[in-house]
Amino acid sequence: PAASMANVEETLKRIGSHKGVIGTLIVDSQGIPLRSTLSEEETHAHASLITQLAAKARRTVTELDKDDDLCFMRIRSVKHEILVAPDKDYLLICIQRAPSQAA
C-alpha cells in the first residue's frame, strides 16, 4: 500500500509538471476528492460535475454497445481542456490550459 501511494504521488507530480497543466484530481466513484492540487472550492466543483458527466458518458457508451466501456474522455473549451481517465473505482482528472489556436 505504501509503495502504491508513492507511485500515485509520483504520477501526479509527473502530470503536474507538464506545461499548461493547471491541476489534477483523483476522485472516488461517488465524486469524493481523494487527492487534488486545486483550491478546495475548485476541487469540489470539478469533482462533483466531472464525476456526474463521466458517469453519464459511461452509461451512454454501454447503452450503445453493452460490450463496450468508457476508457478516456476529453473535454475542450475555449479556455481549458479537461482530461478524464476513469477506472473501476476512481477518476483521474487533469485540467490544463487549452492549446492556443494557430492563426
Side-chain angles (χ1 to χ4, degrees):
S4 62
M5 279 310 295
N7 194 13
V8 167
E9 295 298 334
E10 181 57 38
T11 300
L12 289 176
K13 250 187 236 178
R14 187 170 35 82
I15 292 168
S17 71
H18 286 260
K19 184 180 176 189
V21 170
I22 295 167
T24 55
L25 296 92
I26 296 178
V27 299
D28 70 10
S29 58
Q30 302 301 308
I32 297 169
L34 304 174
R35 290 274 187 279
S36 177
T37 61
L38 298 171
S39 71
E40 188 173 343
E41 185 179 336
E42 290 174 314
T43 294
H44 289 289
H46 282 84
S48 173
L49 295 170
I50 301 298
T51 299
Q52 292 173 53
L53 185 59
K56 179 67 174 174
R58 175 170 267 160
R59 282 192 305 274
T60 301
V61 168
T62 55
E63 279 184 34
L64 291 170
D65 181 345
K66 66 178 177 53
D67 297 322
D68 206 355
D69 197 7
L70 181 69
C71 61
F72 194 79
M73 188 169 67
R74 184 179 192 159
I75 305 154
R76 189 165 176 182
S77 69
V78 173
K79 294 163 79 173
H80 300 108
E81 192 168 46
I82 301 172
L83 310 170
V84 183
D87 192 48
K88 185 174 155 250
D89 299 316
Y90 306 98
L91 290 178
L92 171 60
I93 303 166
C94 177
I95 296 105
Q96 60 187 21
R97 285 181 208 65
S100 57
Q101 301 297 321

